[in-house]
Amino acid sequence: MAKAKGRAQIVITSIKQKIKAKRDDIQKLEEEVKTLESQLQILEERPDFLATILEALPESSE
């Protein structure tokens, strides 16, 4: 019985670690979304800014 309880505790700890890792992933993704939203807002407010950047880039041969 003690062995089973020990294994159960290992499983519980593992699940808790996975949950924490997923929460960390979610936090990083939320930060990335905020950054992208900020960048999008800048580009929507200043479309000339994006056009200037694109004009400066060499044409890609796709």
Side-chain angles (χ1 to χ4, degrees):
M1 187 69 158
K3 264 187 163 181
K5 284 186 178 182
R7 289 194 317 224
Q9 190 59 45
I10 291 171
V11 170
I12 290 169
T13 300
S14 174
I15 291 170
K16 286 180 179 180
Q17 289 172 343
K18 288 178 184 177
I19 290 170
K20 183 185 180 319
K22 292 297 180 186
R23 285 188 176 137
D24 290 346
D25 290 346
I26 290 169
Q27 183 176 1
K28 288 175 188 171
L29 288 170
E30 287 174 340
E31 290 171 7
E32 186 177 340
V33 166
K34 285 180 186 176
T35 299
L36 290 170
E37 287 174 338
S38 174
Q39 292 172 353
L40 176 61
Q41 182 180 359
I42 291 167
L43 294 175
E44 286 178 335
E45 292 172 355
R46 298 272 323 270
D48 57 313
F49 179 70
L50 180 57
T52 302
I53 292 171
L54 293 175
E55 287 175 2
L57 296 175
E59 293 289 324
S60 63
S61 56
E62 292 181 21

Short mmCIF file of all heavy atoms in Angstrom, two decimals:
data_model
loop_
_atom_site.label_atom_id
_atom_site.label_comp_id
_atom_site.label_asym_id
_atom_site.label_seq_id
_atom_site.Cartn_x
_atom_site.Cartn_y
_atom_site.Cartn_z
N MET A 1 0.81 -1.20 0.00
CA MET A 1 0.00 0.00 0.00
C MET A 1 0.85 1.26 0.00
O MET A 1 0.53 2.23 -0.67
CB MET A 1 -0.92 -0.03 1.24
CG MET A 1 -1.93 1.08 1.25
SD MET A 1 -3.14 0.83 -0.04
CE MET A 1 -4.46 1.79 0.58
N ALA A 2 1.95 1.22 0.74
CA ALA A 2 2.83 2.39 0.80
C ALA A 2 3.45 2.66 -0.56
O ALA A 2 3.65 3.82 -0.94
CB ALA A 2 3.92 2.18 1.85
N LYS A 3 3.75 1.58 -1.31
CA LYS A 3 4.31 1.74 -2.66
C LYS A 3 3.32 2.45 -3.57
O LYS A 3 3.69 3.34 -4.33
CB LYS A 3 4.66 0.37 -3.25
CG LYS A 3 6.08 -0.05 -3.10
CD LYS A 3 6.30 -1.32 -3.88
CE LYS A 3 7.76 -1.55 -4.09
NZ LYS A 3 8.03 -2.77 -4.86
N ALA A 4 2.08 2.03 -3.47
CA ALA A 4 1.04 2.63 -4.32
C ALA A 4 0.87 4.11 -3.98
O ALA A 4 0.71 4.95 -4.87
CB ALA A 4 -0.28 1.88 -4.16
N LYS A 5 0.91 4.45 -2.71
CA LYS A 5 0.78 5.85 -2.30
C LYS A 5 1.96 6.67 -2.80
O LYS A 5 1.81 7.81 -3.23
CB LYS A 5 0.66 5.96 -0.78
CG LYS A 5 -0.69 5.57 -0.25
CD LYS A 5 -0.79 5.83 1.24
CE LYS A 5 -2.18 5.47 1.74
NZ LYS A 5 -2.33 5.77 3.17
N GLY A 6 3.13 6.07 -2.75
CA GLY A 6 4.32 6.75 -3.26
C GLY A 6 4.23 7.02 -4.75
O GLY A 6 4.56 8.10 -5.22
N ARG A 7 3.77 6.02 -5.49
CA ARG A 7 3.61 6.19 -6.94
C ARG A 7 2.53 7.21 -7.25
O ARG A 7 2.65 8.01 -8.17
CB ARG A 7 3.29 4.84 -7.61
CG ARG A 7 4.47 3.91 -7.62
CD ARG A 7 4.28 2.74 -8.55
NE ARG A 7 2.94 2.17 -8.46
CZ ARG A 7 2.69 0.87 -8.42
NH1 ARG A 7 3.66 -0.01 -8.43
NH2 ARG A 7 1.44 0.44 -8.37
N ALA A 8 1.46 7.17 -6.46
CA ALA A 8 0.38 8.14 -6.66
C ALA A 8 0.90 9.56 -6.45
O ALA A 8 0.56 10.49 -7.19
CB ALA A 8 -0.78 7.85 -5.71
N GLN A 9 1.74 9.74 -5.45
CA GLN A 9 2.30 11.06 -5.17
C GLN A 9 3.19 11.52 -6.33
O GLN A 9 3.18 12.69 -6.71
CB GLN A 9 3.09 11.05 -3.86
CG GLN A 9 3.49 12.42 -3.39
CD GLN A 9 2.30 13.33 -3.16
OE1 GLN A 9 1.29 12.95 -2.56
NE2 GLN A 9 2.39 14.56 -3.66
N ILE A 10 3.93 10.58 -6.91
CA ILE A 10 4.78 10.92 -8.07
C ILE A 10 3.91 11.37 -9.24
O ILE A 10 4.22 12.36 -9.92
CB ILE A 10 5.67 9.72 -8.46
CG1 ILE A 10 6.72 9.49 -7.37
CG2 ILE A 10 6.32 9.93 -9.81
CD1 ILE A 10 7.51 8.19 -7.53
N VAL A 11 2.81 10.66 -9.46
CA VAL A 11 1.90 11.03 -10.56
C VAL A 11 1.30 12.41 -10.31
O VAL A 11 1.25 13.25 -11.21
CB VAL A 11 0.78 9.96 -10.72
CG1 VAL A 11 -0.30 10.45 -11.68
CG2 VAL A 11 1.37 8.64 -11.21
N ILE A 12 0.88 12.65 -9.10
CA ILE A 12 0.30 13.95 -8.74
C ILE A 12 1.32 15.08 -8.95
O ILE A 12 1.01 16.11 -9.53
CB ILE A 12 -0.23 13.94 -7.29
CG1 ILE A 12 -1.46 13.05 -7.20
CG2 ILE A 12 -0.52 15.35 -6.79
CD1 ILE A 12 -1.91 12.75 -5.78
N THR A 13 2.54 14.86 -8.50
CA THR A 13 3.60 15.86 -8.66
C THR A 13 3.87 16.11 -10.14
O THR A 13 4.02 17.26 -10.57
CB THR A 13 4.88 15.39 -7.96
OG1 THR A 13 4.60 15.21 -6.57
CG2 THR A 13 6.00 16.40 -8.11
N SER A 14 3.88 15.05 -10.92
CA SER A 14 4.11 15.18 -12.36
C SER A 14 3.01 16.01 -13.02
O SER A 14 3.28 16.88 -13.85
CB SER A 14 4.19 13.79 -13.00
OG SER A 14 4.28 13.89 -14.39
N ILE A 15 1.78 15.73 -12.65
CA ILE A 15 0.65 16.48 -13.21
C ILE A 15 0.75 17.96 -12.81
O ILE A 15 0.53 18.85 -13.64
CB ILE A 15 -0.69 15.87 -12.76
CG1 ILE A 15 -0.88 14.50 -13.42
CG2 ILE A 15 -1.86 16.79 -13.09
CD1 ILE A 15 -2.04 13.69 -12.87
N LYS A 16 1.10 18.23 -11.56
CA LYS A 16 1.25 19.62 -11.12
C LYS A 16 2.34 20.34 -11.91
O LYS A 16 2.19 21.51 -12.27
CB LYS A 16 1.57 19.67 -9.62
CG LYS A 16 0.39 19.35 -8.74
CD LYS A 16 0.77 19.41 -7.27
CE LYS A 16 -0.40 19.13 -6.36
NZ LYS A 16 -0.05 19.18 -4.94
N GLN A 17 3.43 19.64 -12.19
CA GLN A 17 4.52 20.24 -12.97
C GLN A 17 4.07 20.54 -14.39
O GLN A 17 4.40 21.58 -14.96
CB GLN A 17 5.74 19.32 -12.97
CG GLN A 17 6.45 19.23 -11.64
CD GLN A 17 7.54 18.17 -11.61
OE1 GLN A 17 7.59 17.28 -12.44
NE2 GLN A 17 8.42 18.27 -10.62
N LYS A 18 3.29 19.62 -14.97
CA LYS A 18 2.77 19.83 -16.33
C LYS A 18 1.83 21.02 -16.37
O LYS A 18 1.86 21.83 -17.31
CB LYS A 18 2.08 18.58 -16.84
CG LYS A 18 3.04 17.46 -17.17
CD LYS A 18 2.30 16.22 -17.63
CE LYS A 18 3.27 15.07 -17.87
NZ LYS A 18 2.58 13.83 -18.26
N ILE A 19 0.99 21.14 -15.35
CA ILE A 19 0.07 22.28 -15.27
C ILE A 19 0.84 23.58 -15.17
O ILE A 19 0.53 24.56 -15.87
CB ILE A 19 -0.90 22.11 -14.07
CG1 ILE A 19 -1.89 20.98 -14.33
CG2 ILE A 19 -1.64 23.42 -13.77
CD1 ILE A 19 -2.71 20.58 -13.12
N LYS A 20 1.86 23.62 -14.33
CA LYS A 20 2.68 24.83 -14.19
C LYS A 20 3.35 25.19 -15.51
O LYS A 20 3.37 26.36 -15.92
CB LYS A 20 3.72 24.67 -13.10
CG LYS A 20 4.53 25.93 -12.87
CD LYS A 20 5.65 25.73 -11.88
CE LYS A 20 6.45 26.99 -11.64
NZ LYS A 20 6.77 27.81 -12.77
N ALA A 21 3.88 24.19 -16.20
CA ALA A 21 4.54 24.43 -17.48
C ALA A 21 3.55 24.99 -18.50
O ALA A 21 3.88 25.92 -19.25
CB ALA A 21 5.17 23.14 -18.01
N LYS A 22 2.34 24.45 -18.52
CA LYS A 22 1.32 24.95 -19.46
C LYS A 22 0.91 26.37 -19.11
O LYS A 22 0.71 27.20 -20.00
CB LYS A 22 0.09 24.03 -19.47
CG LYS A 22 0.36 22.67 -20.05
CD LYS A 22 0.75 22.76 -21.51
CE LYS A 22 1.02 21.39 -22.09
NZ LYS A 22 1.54 21.47 -23.45
N ARG A 23 0.82 26.67 -17.81
CA ARG A 23 0.49 28.05 -17.40
C ARG A 23 1.59 29.01 -17.82
O ARG A 23 1.32 30.14 -18.26
CB ARG A 23 0.25 28.11 -15.90
CG ARG A 23 -1.08 27.54 -15.49
CD ARG A 23 -1.38 27.79 -14.04
NE ARG A 23 -2.73 27.31 -13.72
CZ ARG A 23 -3.04 26.62 -12.64
NH1 ARG A 23 -2.11 26.35 -11.74
NH2 ARG A 23 -4.27 26.22 -12.43
N ASP A 24 2.84 28.57 -17.70
CA ASP A 24 3.96 29.40 -18.14
C ASP A 24 3.88 29.62 -19.65
O ASP A 24 4.12 30.74 -20.13
CB ASP A 24 5.30 28.74 -17.77
CG ASP A 24 5.57 28.74 -16.28
OD1 ASP A 24 4.88 29.47 -15.53
OD2 ASP A 24 6.48 28.00 -15.85
N ASP A 25 3.54 28.56 -20.40
CA ASP A 25 3.39 28.68 -21.86
C ASP A 25 2.29 29.68 -22.20
O ASP A 25 2.46 30.52 -23.09
CB ASP A 25 3.05 27.33 -22.49
CG ASP A 25 4.21 26.34 -22.46
OD1 ASP A 25 5.35 26.76 -22.19
OD2 ASP A 25 3.96 25.14 -22.71
N ILE A 26 1.18 29.60 -21.48
CA ILE A 26 0.06 30.51 -21.72
C ILE A 26 0.49 31.95 -21.45
O ILE A 26 0.18 32.86 -22.23
CB ILE A 26 -1.16 30.12 -20.85
CG1 ILE A 26 -1.76 28.82 -21.36
CG2 ILE A 26 -2.20 31.23 -20.83
CD1 ILE A 26 -2.79 28.20 -20.43
N GLN A 27 1.22 32.16 -20.37
CA GLN A 27 1.67 33.52 -20.03
C GLN A 27 2.58 34.07 -21.13
O GLN A 27 2.45 35.23 -21.54
CB GLN A 27 2.40 33.51 -18.69
CG GLN A 27 2.82 34.90 -18.25
CD GLN A 27 3.46 34.89 -16.86
OE1 GLN A 27 3.62 33.85 -16.24
NE2 GLN A 27 3.85 36.06 -16.39
N LYS A 28 3.49 33.23 -21.63
CA LYS A 28 4.39 33.68 -22.70
C LYS A 28 3.59 34.00 -23.96
O LYS A 28 3.87 35.00 -24.64
CB LYS A 28 5.43 32.60 -23.00
CG LYS A 28 6.47 32.45 -21.92
CD LYS A 28 7.41 31.30 -22.20
CE LYS A 28 8.32 31.04 -21.02
NZ LYS A 28 9.09 29.80 -21.18
N LEU A 29 2.60 33.17 -24.28
CA LEU A 29 1.78 33.43 -25.47
C LEU A 29 0.96 34.71 -25.30
O LEU A 29 0.82 35.48 -26.26
CB LEU A 29 0.85 32.24 -25.74
CG LEU A 29 1.54 30.98 -26.28
CD1 LEU A 29 0.57 29.81 -26.28
CD2 LEU A 29 2.09 31.22 -27.66
N GLU A 30 0.44 34.95 -24.10
CA GLU A 30 -0.31 36.18 -23.87
C GLU A 30 0.58 37.40 -24.05
O GLU A 30 0.14 38.41 -24.63
CB GLU A 30 -0.94 36.17 -22.47
CG GLU A 30 -2.11 35.21 -22.34
CD GLU A 30 -2.65 35.08 -20.93
OE1 GLU A 30 -1.93 35.42 -19.97
OE2 GLU A 30 -3.80 34.64 -20.80
N GLU A 31 1.81 37.31 -23.59
CA GLU A 31 2.75 38.42 -23.78
C GLU A 31 3.06 38.63 -25.26
O GLU A 31 3.14 39.76 -25.74
CB GLU A 31 4.03 38.16 -22.99
CG GLU A 31 3.85 38.24 -21.49
CD GLU A 31 5.06 37.77 -20.70
OE1 GLU A 31 6.11 37.48 -21.31
OE2 GLU A 31 4.95 37.67 -19.46
N GLU A 32 3.21 37.53 -25.99
CA GLU A 32 3.48 37.62 -27.43
C GLU A 32 2.29 38.24 -28.16
O GLU A 32 2.47 39.07 -29.06
CB GLU A 32 3.78 36.22 -27.99
CG GLU A 32 4.21 36.23 -29.43
CD GLU A 32 4.58 34.85 -29.95
OE1 GLU A 32 4.87 33.95 -29.15
OE2 GLU A 32 4.57 34.69 -31.19
N VAL A 33 1.08 37.86 -27.76
CA VAL A 33 -0.12 38.44 -28.38
C VAL A 33 -0.17 39.94 -28.12
O VAL A 33 -0.46 40.72 -29.03
CB VAL A 33 -1.40 37.73 -27.86
CG1 VAL A 33 -2.64 38.52 -28.22
CG2 VAL A 33 -1.48 36.32 -28.41
N LYS A 34 0.13 40.36 -26.89
CA LYS A 34 0.13 41.80 -26.58
C LYS A 34 1.13 42.55 -27.45
O LYS A 34 0.84 43.63 -27.96
CB LYS A 34 0.45 42.02 -25.10
CG LYS A 34 -0.69 41.68 -24.18
CD LYS A 34 -0.31 41.91 -22.73
CE LYS A 34 -1.39 41.44 -21.79
NZ LYS A 34 -1.01 41.57 -20.38
N THR A 35 2.31 41.96 -27.64
CA THR A 35 3.33 42.59 -28.47
C THR A 35 2.84 42.70 -29.91
O THR A 35 2.97 43.75 -30.55
CB THR A 35 4.63 41.78 -28.42
OG1 THR A 35 5.10 41.74 -27.07
CG2 THR A 35 5.70 42.37 -29.31
N LEU A 36 2.27 41.62 -30.43
CA LEU A 36 1.77 41.64 -31.80
C LEU A 36 0.62 42.63 -31.97
O LEU A 36 0.55 43.33 -32.99
CB LEU A 36 1.32 40.23 -32.22
CG LEU A 36 2.45 39.22 -32.41
CD1 LEU A 36 1.88 37.82 -32.57
CD2 LEU A 36 3.32 39.59 -33.60
N GLU A 37 -0.26 42.70 -30.98
CA GLU A 37 -1.36 43.66 -31.04
C GLU A 37 -0.83 45.09 -31.06
O GLU A 37 -1.33 45.94 -31.80
CB GLU A 37 -2.32 43.46 -29.87
CG GLU A 37 -3.17 42.22 -29.99
CD GLU A 37 -4.01 41.93 -28.76
OE1 GLU A 37 -3.67 42.41 -27.66
OE2 GLU A 37 -5.00 41.21 -28.91
N SER A 38 0.20 45.34 -30.29
CA SER A 38 0.81 46.66 -30.25
C SER A 38 1.44 47.01 -31.59
O SER A 38 1.27 48.12 -32.10
CB SER A 38 1.86 46.71 -29.14
OG SER A 38 2.56 47.92 -29.16
N GLN A 39 2.15 46.04 -32.16
CA GLN A 39 2.76 46.26 -33.47
C GLN A 39 1.70 46.50 -34.53
O GLN A 39 1.84 47.39 -35.38
CB GLN A 39 3.63 45.06 -33.85
CG GLN A 39 4.86 44.92 -33.00
CD GLN A 39 5.60 43.62 -33.25
OE1 GLN A 39 5.15 42.75 -33.98
NE2 GLN A 39 6.77 43.49 -32.64
N LEU A 40 0.62 45.74 -34.47
CA LEU A 40 -0.46 45.90 -35.44
C LEU A 40 -1.09 47.28 -35.31
O LEU A 40 -1.37 47.94 -36.32
CB LEU A 40 -1.51 44.81 -35.25
CG LEU A 40 -2.75 44.89 -36.13
CD1 LEU A 40 -2.36 44.80 -37.61
CD2 LEU A 40 -3.74 43.81 -35.76
N GLN A 41 -1.31 47.71 -34.09
CA GLN A 41 -1.91 49.03 -33.87
C GLN A 41 -1.04 50.12 -34.47
O GLN A 41 -1.55 51.04 -35.13
CB GLN A 41 -2.11 49.28 -32.38
CG GLN A 41 -2.77 50.60 -32.08
CD GLN A 41 -2.97 50.83 -30.59
OE1 GLN A 41 -2.62 49.99 -29.77
NE2 GLN A 41 -3.52 51.96 -30.24
N ILE A 42 0.26 50.02 -34.28
CA ILE A 42 1.18 51.02 -34.85
C ILE A 42 1.06 51.03 -36.37
O ILE A 42 0.97 52.09 -37.00
CB ILE A 42 2.63 50.74 -34.42
CG1 ILE A 42 2.78 51.03 -32.92
CG2 ILE A 42 3.62 51.57 -35.23
CD1 ILE A 42 4.07 50.50 -32.32
N LEU A 43 1.05 49.83 -36.96
CA LEU A 43 0.99 49.74 -38.42
C LEU A 43 -0.35 50.21 -38.97
O LEU A 43 -0.41 50.80 -40.05
CB LEU A 43 1.28 48.31 -38.88
CG LEU A 43 2.71 47.83 -38.59
CD1 LEU A 43 2.86 46.37 -38.97
CD2 LEU A 43 3.74 48.69 -39.31
N GLU A 44 -1.42 49.96 -38.22
CA GLU A 44 -2.74 50.44 -38.68
C GLU A 44 -2.84 51.95 -38.57
O GLU A 44 -3.47 52.59 -39.42
CB GLU A 44 -3.85 49.77 -37.85
CG GLU A 44 -4.07 48.32 -38.22
CD GLU A 44 -5.13 47.63 -37.37
OE1 GLU A 44 -5.37 48.08 -36.22
OE2 GLU A 44 -5.69 46.66 -37.85
N GLU A 45 -2.21 52.53 -37.57
CA GLU A 45 -2.26 53.98 -37.40
C GLU A 45 -1.32 54.68 -38.37
O GLU A 45 -1.54 55.84 -38.71
CB GLU A 45 -1.88 54.35 -35.96
CG GLU A 45 -2.91 53.93 -34.94
CD GLU A 45 -2.46 54.14 -33.50
OE1 GLU A 45 -1.29 54.53 -33.28
OE2 GLU A 45 -3.27 53.89 -32.58
N ARG A 46 -0.25 53.99 -38.77
CA ARG A 46 0.73 54.59 -39.67
C ARG A 46 1.03 53.66 -40.85
O ARG A 46 2.11 53.08 -40.94
CB ARG A 46 2.04 54.83 -38.91
CG ARG A 46 1.97 55.80 -37.74
CD ARG A 46 2.20 57.25 -38.11
NE ARG A 46 3.17 57.51 -39.13
CZ ARG A 46 4.47 57.73 -38.93
NH1 ARG A 46 4.98 57.70 -37.73
NH2 ARG A 46 5.25 57.98 -39.95
N PRO A 47 0.09 53.48 -41.76
CA PRO A 47 0.34 52.58 -42.89
C PRO A 47 1.52 53.03 -43.75
O PRO A 47 2.18 52.21 -44.37
CB PRO A 47 -0.97 52.59 -43.68
CG PRO A 47 -1.73 53.78 -43.19
CD PRO A 47 -1.23 54.08 -41.82
N ASP A 48 1.81 54.33 -43.73
CA ASP A 48 2.95 54.84 -44.47
C ASP A 48 4.27 54.31 -43.92
O ASP A 48 5.25 54.11 -44.64
CB ASP A 48 2.97 56.37 -44.47
CG ASP A 48 2.97 56.95 -43.06
OD1 ASP A 48 2.16 56.48 -42.23
OD2 ASP A 48 3.79 57.85 -42.79
N PHE A 49 4.28 54.03 -42.62
CA PHE A 49 5.48 53.49 -41.97
C PHE A 49 5.81 52.13 -42.55
O PHE A 49 6.95 51.85 -42.92
CB PHE A 49 5.23 53.41 -40.46
CG PHE A 49 6.38 52.86 -39.67
CD1 PHE A 49 7.55 53.57 -39.51
CD2 PHE A 49 6.29 51.60 -39.08
CE1 PHE A 49 8.62 53.05 -38.78
CE2 PHE A 49 7.35 51.08 -38.35
CZ PHE A 49 8.51 51.81 -38.20
N LEU A 50 4.81 51.27 -42.68
CA LEU A 50 5.02 49.93 -43.25
C LEU A 50 5.40 50.03 -44.72
O LEU A 50 6.30 49.33 -45.19
CB LEU A 50 3.77 49.07 -43.09
CG LEU A 50 3.84 47.65 -43.64
CD1 LEU A 50 5.00 46.88 -43.01
CD2 LEU A 50 2.54 46.92 -43.41
N ALA A 51 4.76 50.91 -45.44
CA ALA A 51 5.08 51.08 -46.86
C ALA A 51 6.53 51.51 -47.04
O ALA A 51 7.23 51.02 -47.94
CB ALA A 51 4.13 52.10 -47.50
N THR A 52 7.00 52.40 -46.19
CA THR A 52 8.40 52.86 -46.25
C THR A 52 9.36 51.71 -46.01
O THR A 52 10.36 51.55 -46.72
CB THR A 52 8.64 53.98 -45.21
OG1 THR A 52 7.73 55.05 -45.47
CG2 THR A 52 10.06 54.48 -45.27
N ILE A 53 9.04 50.88 -45.04
CA ILE A 53 9.90 49.73 -44.74
C ILE A 53 9.91 48.76 -45.91
O ILE A 53 10.95 48.27 -46.34
CB ILE A 53 9.42 49.01 -43.46
CG1 ILE A 53 9.66 49.90 -42.23
CG2 ILE A 53 10.13 47.67 -43.28
CD1 ILE A 53 9.04 49.38 -40.96
N LEU A 54 8.73 48.48 -46.45
CA LEU A 54 8.64 47.53 -47.56
C LEU A 54 9.35 48.04 -48.81
O LEU A 54 9.96 47.26 -49.54
CB LEU A 54 7.16 47.22 -47.87
CG LEU A 54 6.42 46.46 -46.78
CD1 LEU A 54 4.96 46.33 -47.14
CD2 LEU A 54 7.06 45.10 -46.52
N GLU A 55 9.29 49.34 -49.04
CA GLU A 55 10.00 49.92 -50.19
C GLU A 55 11.51 49.79 -50.03
O GLU A 55 12.23 49.65 -51.02
CB GLU A 55 9.61 51.39 -50.37
CG GLU A 55 8.23 51.59 -50.92
CD GLU A 55 7.83 53.03 -50.98
OE1 GLU A 55 8.65 53.91 -50.63
OE2 GLU A 55 6.69 53.31 -51.39
N ALA A 56 12.00 49.81 -48.81
CA ALA A 56 13.43 49.73 -48.58
C ALA A 56 13.96 48.30 -48.72
O ALA A 56 15.17 48.10 -48.91
CB ALA A 56 13.75 50.25 -47.17
N LEU A 57 13.09 47.33 -48.64
CA LEU A 57 13.52 45.93 -48.75
C LEU A 57 13.67 45.55 -50.21
O LEU A 57 12.89 45.97 -51.07
CB LEU A 57 12.50 45.01 -48.08
CG LEU A 57 12.32 45.18 -46.57
CD1 LEU A 57 11.19 44.27 -46.09
CD2 LEU A 57 13.60 44.85 -45.84
N PRO A 58 14.66 44.70 -50.51
CA PRO A 58 14.79 44.22 -51.88
C PRO A 58 13.61 43.30 -52.24
O PRO A 58 13.06 42.63 -51.37
CB PRO A 58 16.11 43.46 -51.88
CG PRO A 58 16.38 43.13 -50.45
CD PRO A 58 15.68 44.16 -49.63
N GLU A 59 13.26 43.31 -53.49
CA GLU A 59 12.19 42.44 -53.97
C GLU A 59 12.63 40.99 -53.82
O GLU A 59 13.76 40.63 -54.14
CB GLU A 59 11.87 42.72 -55.45
CG GLU A 59 11.27 44.09 -55.70
CD GLU A 59 9.84 44.20 -55.19
OE1 GLU A 59 9.10 43.20 -55.28
OE2 GLU A 59 9.46 45.28 -54.73
N SER A 60 11.71 40.15 -53.32
CA SER A 60 12.05 38.72 -53.21
C SER A 60 11.54 38.00 -54.44
O SER A 60 10.48 38.32 -54.97
CB SER A 60 11.42 38.13 -51.95
OG SER A 60 10.02 38.20 -52.04
N SER A 61 12.30 37.05 -54.89
CA SER A 61 11.89 36.28 -56.08
C SER A 61 11.23 35.00 -55.60
O SER A 61 11.89 34.02 -55.28
CB SER A 61 13.09 35.99 -56.97
OG SER A 61 14.08 35.31 -56.21
N GLU A 62 9.90 35.02 -55.55
CA GLU A 62 9.17 33.86 -55.05
C GLU A 62 8.78 32.95 -56.18
O GLU A 62 8.50 33.27 -57.25
CB GLU A 62 7.92 34.31 -54.29
CG GLU A 62 8.29 35.01 -53.01
CD GLU A 62 7.06 35.45 -52.23
OE1 GLU A 62 5.98 34.90 -52.44
OE2 GLU A 62 7.20 36.36 -51.42
#
